[in-house]
Amino acid sequence: MATEAARVVLARKALDLYLQEHGDERRWRYPLAGSDVAECDIVDLMMDLMLLARASGHDPCTVLRKTQVHLDAEIGQRC
């Protein structure tokens, strides 16, 4: 199983490719001080993944719930 650090690197690659495809389409982007990753960019990518889930016959809400369970199991983070 990949480490948390390895997963962060992979997620960053996915986000970078996603943002590269969107280019100037992004209208609002406010990264936290000291970070080059904006929350809105992550939200946009996650939303598009939920659209992919739905288009692939999966229930996006179920996918989100399962993601929450995985997050809790991996790092103990409950939202």
Side-chain angles (χ1 to χ4, degrees), residues 12-61:
R12 181 56 194 251
K13 287 179 183 179
L15 182 61
D16 287 346
L17 286 171
Y18 177 81
L19 295 175
Q20 184 178 358
E21 287 295 315
H22 280 278
D24 295 332
E25 291 179 29
R26 297 176 301 127
R27 291 180 294 256
W28 52 285
R29 187 173 189 278
Y30 306 103
L32 297 175
S35 176
D36 60 342
V37 177
E39 184 179 80
C40 63
D41 292 336
I42 297 170
V43 170
D44 288 344
L45 174 57
M46 291 175 64
M47 192 272 307
D48 286 356
L49 287 170
M50 293 302 97
L51 291 174
L52 173 61
R54 185 176 71 158
S56 300
H58 303 286
D59 175 35
C61 293

